[in-house]
Amino acid sequence: MENIIEIKNLYFSYVDTDNNGAVLDNINLDIKKGEFLCIVGHNGSGKSTLAKMLNGLLRPDKGTVCVNGIYTSDDKHLIDIRKTVGMVFQNPDNQIIASVVEEDVAFGPENLGCSPQESRRRVDQALSAVDMAEYKNTSPYKLSGGQKQRVAIAGVLAMRPQCIVFDESTAMLDPKGRKEVIATVNKLNKQGITVVLITHFMEEARFADRLCIMDNGKILKTDTPYNIFSDYELIENTGLTLPEPMKLIKALVDCGIKIDNKVFDEKDACAAIAEVLKGGAEK
Amino acid sequence: MLKDITFGQYVEADSIIHKLDPRIKILLLIAYIVFIFIVNNLFSIAFASVFILAVTILSKVPVKLFAKNIKAILPIIIFTAILNALYVGQGALVIHFWVINIYEGGIYRAVFMSLRIILLIIISALLTYTSTPTALTDAIESLLSPLQYIGLKNAVHIMALMMTIALRFIPTLIEETDKIMSSQKARGASLDSGSFKQKVKALLPVLIPLLSASIRRAYELADAMESRCYNGGEGRVRMKQMTLTLKDYIAIIVSVVFFAALIILNTFAV
């Protein structure tokens, strides 16, 4: 599969170029077109900094980030990069610009110089893609957190990006809002948009095609959620918590029970446990 | 409690005045103010009062709202009226009491000035009651746009964007102030007792977190705007283009006829 973003030997520090304060330390990562990549790490692991690298909000100190063949260090093509890679941030309140939903969604197309008719078309499409069409004349401050975040997603969608980066976009939401946003993310990915989801909720990571574990500015492992969830040592070392079904299986493994630990959700866990129980009955 | 504050004075109603292009409303407001100042006899100002009263009724904004506006500046109206009554010494002497002499011309003048101030208040309130803050912002941007030809293109765009963002963040900041006040109260701050000086001092622990949070917000907003391809005003095309409709032309024609009638009355009425 073709890569949409290629990161090579990326090094970055907020302070200076000494090797001490590295926030990102020799990152190598390829993001494939159409995939759902999840980046997980605890606070301060450098995952949000990495996100800002993807659309040129931050530039590498050393190494390169390349989006569809354009380097983010190239000032002249920054707009092209941002048109390709959209970004949804953590706090919905701090990314909505206008006092009316549809005018906020129009901000992107307006910046791109779309004609009023084209902007209107994109706004209507983007709002219906996130199921917010009926709120187009509402004030954003009257919406719930999940709804605001969906408006923010619509604002990015209206630019027609190929890839959307979600930088902890669910962290400030209640469970209901989180569910709405994750459902929207999954839907967009199915429509062919490359998704990079940055989170510290392992629950959300299980929908991903690939899971990337970050710690201390380094990528420790990139693999399928299956393989990562069963790598207990890695999970423990990075201070992450497993989703509930995997926790149960891990507890069983810790008790010395031989069980298939490549489980994914409640259903898999049930099947694995049933397998063990059946085996016991036969013996 | 702070949440209930409404910003702007917009009153939702389905009237022809509400539907007028806000640019036309602003320009007409200026014209009305100029003409109300031009006319100088009681007869014309009475005619203007009747006309503006009709427009007010047409706007479907509750009359008591206008009454509230007038009440707010009632002291000024009374003060002006008394001053005029005392100092204009034309016509027959009407009242003579100790050192006070009030002439016919004085009374005439007092009524005229009061009416003029009341009309100015009503006509200005009519604009803010019938247009949303967003519409007014857009209108101001559009009206200022000729400035771009004298090299101020970015200034107009930046001002409009600043107004838009300010309007957008008013409810957010009010909510935040509320939260900070509650959390400072929970820590034992007494925000509404003590002398004026103590009250001002007590506000510091509210204002400082509010300011630092706003700066953080500003940084995040800047990132979000850049991510959405914001690149200054260059090449930006607004989705909502304001266009004049039949209603706007009718409003202009009616107003011009009114102005003409006013001038004629003002010149020939004795």
Side-chain angles (χ1 to χ4, degrees), chain A residues 52 55 57 79 82-83 87 89 91-100 102-108 110-116 119-120 123 141 155 159, chain B residues 5 7 134 138 161 164-165 167-169 171-172 175 213 216-218 220-232 234-241:
Chain A
K52 285 184 183 162
N55 72 346
L57 283 177
I79 295 292
R82 289 179 182 154
K83 214 159 71 182
M87 193 169 299
F89 294 87
N91 189 339
D93 274 327
N94 295 351
Q95 47 186 326
I96 292 175
I97 292 132
S99 312
V100 181
E102 64 171 3
E103 282 178 28
D104 180 72
V105 176
F107 186 71
E110 284 178 347
N111 285 334
L112 294 173
C114 295
S115 67
S119 287
R120 163 66 52 199
V123 167
Y141 81 96
M159 299 190 303
Chain B
I5 294 175
F7 53 98
T134 326
D138 290 348
L161 191 71
T164 307
I165 291 176
L167 282 178
R168 148 75 185 82
F169 275 93
T172 310
E175 214 178 275
R216 205 167 42 240
R217 267 182 208 287
E220 282 181 31
L221 187 69
D223 270 350
M225 284 168 67
E226 278 199 56
S227 295
R228 283 161 72 182
C229 297
Y230 179 66
N231 199 18
E234 210 65 46
R236 220 171 116 74
V237 183
R238 297 297 301 263
M239 175 177 77
K240 280 190 183 156
Q241 300 282 337

Side-chain angles (χ1 to χ4, degrees), chain A residues 68 133 169 183 204 247 258 275:
Chain A
N68 267 352
S169 305
E204 292 166 5
K247 255 192 207 158
K258 279 196 181 120
E275 188 82 11

Side-chain angles (χ1 to χ4, degrees), chain B residues 16-119:
Chain B
I16 181 161
I17 310 288
H18 281 76
K19 284 180 190 144
L20 289 181
D21 188 308
R23 289 173 302 176
I24 296 300
K25 276 192 270 192
I26 291 178
L27 291 178
L28 284 180
L29 170 68
I30 295 170
Y32 275 101
I33 291 176
V34 169
F35 277 96
I36 289 170
F37 269 109
I38 286 177
V39 294
N40 54 16
N41 65 45
L42 196 56
F43 196 54
S44 330
I45 206 100
F47 171 66
S49 307
V50 172
F51 181 82
I52 287 169
L53 194 70
V55 176
T56 310
I57 290 164
L58 204 64
S59 76
K60 294 185 186 167
V61 176
V63 178
K64 69 166 192 255
L65 285 175
F66 293 103
K68 227 167 85 187
N69 280 332
I70 294 167
K71 214 174 125 195
I73 60 141
L74 204 57
I76 298 176
I77 298 175
I78 293 172
F79 182 72
T80 322
I82 292 176
L83 222 57
N84 275 292
L86 288 179
Y87 282 92
V88 178
Q90 289 165 331
L93 188 64
V94 183
I95 301 168
H96 177 72
F97 172 72
W98 189 37
V99 290
I100 300 167
N101 295 315
I102 294 176
Y103 297 89
E104 213 172 64
I107 293 173
Y108 173 89
R109 192 82 196 152
V111 173
F112 171 76
M113 287 305 283
S114 309
L115 267 179
R116 182 187 261 178
I117 297 174
I118 291 171
L119 286 189

